[in-house]
C-alpha cells in the first residue's frame, strides 16, 4: 500500500519573490499589480533564497511531501519558447532539496502566473496560449522527470478564469461571460494537450489536475432546488472535474449556454476528441467551503468576493441569473473573509467525487486565513488546529468508507502573499514576520500537525 502523504502547499508567485532575478520575465500578476500599484509578490516570502530552510522546517514538522508550483516566466524566457537555464537550475535545486529532506514533490505546472507577453496576445482567449502551454509543459517533463512523480497541469481553473474574466478582481480584470466560457474551454483543452504529451513521452509518475472543490447543498429537496443544485454543480465543479476525469464537458451546461445565445463554435470535434482521450490519473481537491444554494429568484448576475477581510465581512455574494443563488447558512461559523467553516462538506464531497470518478484523490489545499500578530514568540493558533483536526477527521472518515484518498496538504507551508488579500491574510503553519527580515517562526499548529502525523 502506498504511504499516505502528509504535506503542505505553496505557489510560485505567492512565495518565491525574486521577481526579476536570474532572467525571470514579467508575469501577468507582476504587470497587473504594478500597474494598479497594489501590494505585490515582488519579495513575498523569499522562498527563492530560503527554500532550503523552509523545506528543512517542513521535514522537521513531520511532513513527507511538499506541494509547490513552477513559474512559467521563470522557465521560458521569450515568446520563441527558449528555455531559461537559470530557472531550470533553481527548480532542480528545490527538487533535490525535497528529496534530501524526504519530501515527495507534488508539482503544479501552472498556478496562475502566465507570462505577460502571452497575456498581451490575449492570454487564455487565444488558442496559441494552449500551444505555448504544451511547449512549456514538455520542457518541464523533460527537465524534471527524474525528480518528479506527481504532476498537476493546472491549479484551480475556476478561480483564475472566473476571477479574471467574469468577476474582474484578478488580471486581466474583465467582466465578460463569453470570455469566461472561452477561457475555461482553452484551459481544459491545454490540460488535455499536456496529458497527451506526458503519456506519449512515457514519463514516470502520474498526472492530474487540482480543482477548487465546492460541494453543493440545497436549501430543501424540491425539484426546483435540485435543478438549481445541478446548475450550481456545473458552475462550481463539473466543467473542471467531468472534463478532466471523464473527458466530457457537461452537455446540459453546454445546452444551457447555447440556449442563452453564447457562441460555442470554437469547441471543435478535434479538440473535444483530445479532451475525451486524455483524462487525468488522479484529482486534487482544494477544499475551503461548500455552496448552499436556492433557485434563482431575481436580479442580474452578481459575483462579489470579499478581499478585505473584517472590513468587507458579509459582502460576498453569488447570483447566476436564471441558474441559482448562493445563500448563507445562519447556523455555521464564517471566517473574516466570509468563508464558511464546514468540515461535513469535505466528507460528503470526497465520497461524491469518489463515487463519480473512481480516481485517487489528494486533498491538495485546506486551511484557514486569519489576521495574526506574528511579533509574538509563538502564534497560538488554536482556531487553525481545530480547523485542521475537524477537516482531517472528515477525510479519514471518507477514507474508511472506501474513498481512495492518498494525501492531505495544509495550505500553507508558511505565511505567503495571498493574491488580492495581500500578506494580511495568513494561512501558514509557520509565521513569517514580513516587517522583521522575513523571520520564520513555527506556530502552535506546526507542532500540532507534526504530532498528529507521527500518530498516524
Amino acid at each position: 500500500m502506498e504511504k499516505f502523504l502528509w504535506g503542505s502547499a505553496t505557489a510560485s508567485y505567492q512565495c518565491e519573490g525574486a521577481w526579476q532575478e536570474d532572467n525571470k520575465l514579467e508575469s501577468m500578476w507582476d504587470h497587473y499589480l504594478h500597474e494598479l500599484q497594489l501590494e505585490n509578490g515582488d519579495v513575498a516570502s523569499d522562498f527563492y533564497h530560503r527554500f532550503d530552510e523552509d523545506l528543512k522546517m517542513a521535514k522537521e514538522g513531520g511532513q513527507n511531501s511538499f506541494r509547490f508550483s513552477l513559474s512559467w516566466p521563470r522557465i521560458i524566457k521569450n515568446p520563441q519558447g527558449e528555455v531559461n537555464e537559470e530557472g531550470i537550475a533553481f527548480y532542480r535545486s528545490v527538487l533535490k532539496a525535497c528529496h534530501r529532506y524526504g519530501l515527495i514533490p507534488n508539482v503544479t505546472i501552472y498556478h496562475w502566473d502566465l507570462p505577460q507577453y502571452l497575456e498581451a496576445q490575449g492570454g487564455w482567449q487565444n488558442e496559441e496560449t494552449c500551444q505555448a502551454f504544451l511547449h512549456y509543459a514538455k520542457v518541464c517533463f523533460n527537465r524534471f522527470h527524474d525528480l518528479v512523480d506527481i504532476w498537476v497541469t493546472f491549479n484551480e481553473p475556476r478561480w483564475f478564469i472566473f476571477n479574471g474574466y467574469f468577476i474582474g478582481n484578478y488580471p486581466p480584470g474583465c467582466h465578460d461571460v463569453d470570455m469566461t466560457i472561452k477561457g475555461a474551454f482553452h484551459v481544459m483543452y491545454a490540460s488535455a494537450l499536456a496529458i497527451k504529451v506526458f503519456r506519449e513521452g512515457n514519463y514516470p509518475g502520474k498526472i492530474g489536475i487540482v480543482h477548487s472543490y465546492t460541494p453543493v447543498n440545497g436549501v430543501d429537496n424540491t425539484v426546483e432546488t435540485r435543478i438549481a443544485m445541478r446548475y450550481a454543480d456545473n458552475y462550481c465543479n463539473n466543467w473542471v472535474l467531468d472534463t478532466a476525469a471523464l473527458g466530457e464537458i457537461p452537455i446540459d451546461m453546454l445546452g444551457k449556454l447555447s440556449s442563452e445565445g453564447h457562441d460555442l463554435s470554437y469547441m471543435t470535434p478535434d479538440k473535444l476528441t483530445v479532451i475525451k482521450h486524455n483524462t487525468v490519473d488522479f484529482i486534487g481537491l482544494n477544499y475551503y467551503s461548500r455552496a448552499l444554494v436556492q433557485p434563482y429568484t431575481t436580479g442580474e448576475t452578481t459575483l462579489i468576493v470579499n478581499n478585505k477581510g473584517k472590513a468587507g465581512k458579509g459582502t460576498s455574494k453569488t447570483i447566476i441569473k436564471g441558474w441559482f443563488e448562493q445563500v448563507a447558512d445562519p447556523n455555521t461559523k464564517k471566517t473574516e473573509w466570509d468563508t464558511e467553516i464546514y468540515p461535513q462538506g469535505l466528507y460528503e464531497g470526497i465520497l461524491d467525487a469518489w463515487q463519480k470518478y473512481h480516481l485517487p484523490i489528494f486533498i491538495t489545499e485546506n486551511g484557514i486565513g486569519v489576521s495574526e500578530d506574528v511579533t509574538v514568540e509563538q502564534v497560538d493558533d488554536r482556531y487553525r488546529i481545530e480547523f485542521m483536526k475537524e477537516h482531517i477527521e472528515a477525510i479519514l472518515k471518507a477514507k474508511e468508507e472506501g474513498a481512495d484518498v492518498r494525501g492531505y496538504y495544509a495550505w500553507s507551508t508558511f505565511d505567503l502573499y495571498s493574491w488580492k488579500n495581500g500578506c494580511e491574510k495568513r494561512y501558514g503553519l509557520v509565521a513569517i514576520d514580513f516587517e522583521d527580515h522575513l523571520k520564520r517562526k513555527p506556530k502552535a499548529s506546526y507542532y500540532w500537525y507534526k504530532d498528529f502525523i507521527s500518530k498516524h
Side-chain angles (χ1 to χ4, degrees):
M1 183 170 149
E2 289 185 42
K3 70 174 174 180
F4 194 83
L5 300 184
W6 294 104
S8 56
T10 61
S12 51
Y13 185 80
Q14 293 181 263
C15 75
E16 285 178 4
W19 81 280
Q20 282 183 303
E21 278 186 53
D22 296 331
N23 291 317
K24 179 188 166 288
L25 295 187
E26 184 183 45
S27 76
M28 71 188 295
W29 275 93
D30 294 322
H31 184 82
Y32 171 84
L33 294 167
H34 293 157
E35 287 269 291
L36 295 178
Q37 297 184 323
L38 295 168
E39 187 180 344
N40 58 53
D42 289 3
V43 178
S45 316
D46 198 29
F47 180 75
Y48 194 79
H49 298 109
R50 304 177 70 152
F51 67 85
D52 194 83
E53 174 189 3
D54 290 328
L55 295 173
K56 183 168 184 269
M57 213 174 264
K59 165 67 173 171
E60 288 170 354
Q63 298 170 42
N64 62 16
S65 187
F66 176 63
R67 178 173 175 247
F68 70 103
S69 72
L70 308 170
S71 168
W72 188 344
R74 208 180 278 292
I75 289 175
I76 303 296
K77 68 180 181 182
N78 56 31
Q80 291 70 48
E82 279 184 79
V83 176
N84 175 22
E85 294 300 337
E86 287 163 294
I88 297 292
F90 167 67
Y91 288 117
R92 286 195 65 83
S93 297
V94 171
L95 288 163
K96 284 175 179 171
C98 285
H99 289 285
R100 196 162 61 246
Y101 292 122
L103 299 166
I104 293 169
N106 183 329
V107 178
T108 298
I109 299 170
Y110 184 85
H111 196 131
W112 308 3
D113 40 2
L114 188 71
Q116 177 57 26
Y117 65 79
L118 286 171
E119 180 49 48
Q121 294 164 7
W124 291 108
Q125 297 304 301
N126 186 346
E127 197 189 313
E128 289 300 310
T129 302
C130 303
Q131 298 302 324
F133 178 77
L134 172 62
H135 169 70
Y136 160 53
K138 197 169 183 179
V139 168
C140 295
F141 300 146
N142 283 334
R143 297 304 195 93
F144 307 127
H145 67 83
D146 57 321
L147 295 167
V148 181
D149 282 328
I150 305 172
W151 289 99
V152 166
T153 55
F154 285 92
N155 179 79
E156 300 186 332
R158 179 166 73 108
W159 276 118
F160 72 84
I161 290 295
F162 284 14
N163 288 37
Y165 293 119
F166 200 20
I167 301 171
N169 64 328
Y170 284 5
C174 302
H175 304 274
D176 187 293
V177 177
D178 286 300
M179 289 176 85
T180 305
I181 300 165
K182 188 178 231 180
F185 178 74
H186 280 153
V187 167
M188 298 312 296
Y189 174 56
S191 179
L193 286 173
I195 291 168
K196 185 172 189 284
V197 83
F198 181 80
R199 300 253 164 79
E200 287 170 354
N202 286 315
Y203 298 102
K206 302 289 186 197
I207 191 163
I209 197 164
V210 164
H211 170 57
S212 47
Y213 193 36
T214 309
V216 175
N217 294 146
V219 291
D220 57 37
N221 212 17
T222 62
V223 169
E224 291 79 10
T225 297
R226 293 178 74 133
I227 292 168
M229 286 170 67
R230 174 65 186 180
Y231 285 144
D233 206 16
N234 281 340
Y235 170 87
C236 292
N237 304 307
N238 299 336
W239 72 267
V240 177
L241 292 178
D242 283 15
T243 308
L246 306 175
E248 298 279 354
I249 305 170
I251 198 68
D252 60 327
M253 183 185 76
L254 294 181
K256 178 79 169 158
L257 292 171
S258 181
S259 72
E260 290 174 356
H262 300 291
D263 173 26
L264 308 178
S265 61
Y266 48 83
M267 300 185 188
T268 53
D270 58 323
K271 295 190 188 73
L272 295 173
T273 300
V274 170
I275 287 170
K276 180 67 189 167
H277 294 298
N278 297 283
T279 53
V280 293
D281 296 319
F282 66 86
I283 50 176
L285 302 177
N286 292 354
Y287 179 82
Y288 293 95
S289 64
R290 59 151 180 180
L292 181 63
V293 304
Q294 66 182 23
Y296 169 78
T297 54
T298 182
E300 292 302 311
T301 292
T302 307
L303 290 159
I304 299 168
V305 176
N306 175 9
N307 289 135
K308 296 192 172 81
K310 205 178 283 181
K313 191 161 185 184
T315 58
S316 298
K317 196 169 197 178
T318 301
I319 299 171
I320 305 297
K321 187 176 182 178
W323 290 38
F324 68 94
E325 294 175 17
Q326 193 168 337
V327 293
D329 185 336
N331 304 311
T332 55
K333 282 192 294 190
K334 318 279 188 302
T335 72
E336 290 174 4
W337 277 266
D338 293 334
T339 304
E340 183 186 39
I341 300 172
Y342 193 70
Q344 177 73 8
L346 179 55
Y347 162 72
E348 293 170 358
I350 289 171
L351 290 178
D352 286 348
W354 170 245
Q355 283 155 10
K356 191 172 185 184
Y357 304 116
H358 281 282
L359 286 172
I361 293 166
F362 292 91
I363 303 306
T364 32
E365 280 183 30
N366 174 243
I368 184 167
V370 184
S371 301
E372 291 169 326
D373 173 12
V374 299
T375 60
V376 297
E377 198 51 44
Q378 186 187 101
V379 175
D380 182 11
D381 55 345
R382 272 172 252 193
Y383 41 84
R384 183 168 289 110
I385 292 169
E386 184 187 358
F387 180 95
M388 289 175 71
K389 183 174 180 292
E390 289 179 345
H391 284 80
I392 292 171
E393 282 170 356
I395 293 164
L396 296 178
K397 189 179 172 195
K399 195 169 158 54
E400 275 168 26
E401 291 180 24
D404 183 6
V405 188
R406 303 208 179 166
Y408 172 83
Y409 295 84
W411 183 267
S412 51
T413 311
F414 41 76
D415 290 338
L416 30 71
Y417 170 80
S418 193
W419 307 110
K420 290 288 282 291
N421 304 294
C423 292
E424 187 205 350
K425 191 180 191 186
R426 294 175 180 270
Y427 282 95
L429 298 171
V430 174
I432 293 187
D433 192 335
F434 295 103
E435 307 299 315
D436 183 14
H437 305 94
L438 301 170
K439 192 186 284 179
R440 270 79 166 143
K441 290 187 275 192
K443 301 176 189 176
S445 57
Y446 167 92
Y447 295 105
W448 175 85
Y449 192 35
K450 177 182 182 176
D451 186 53
F452 186 93
I453 294 167
S454 73
K455 289 176 179 155
H456 289 79

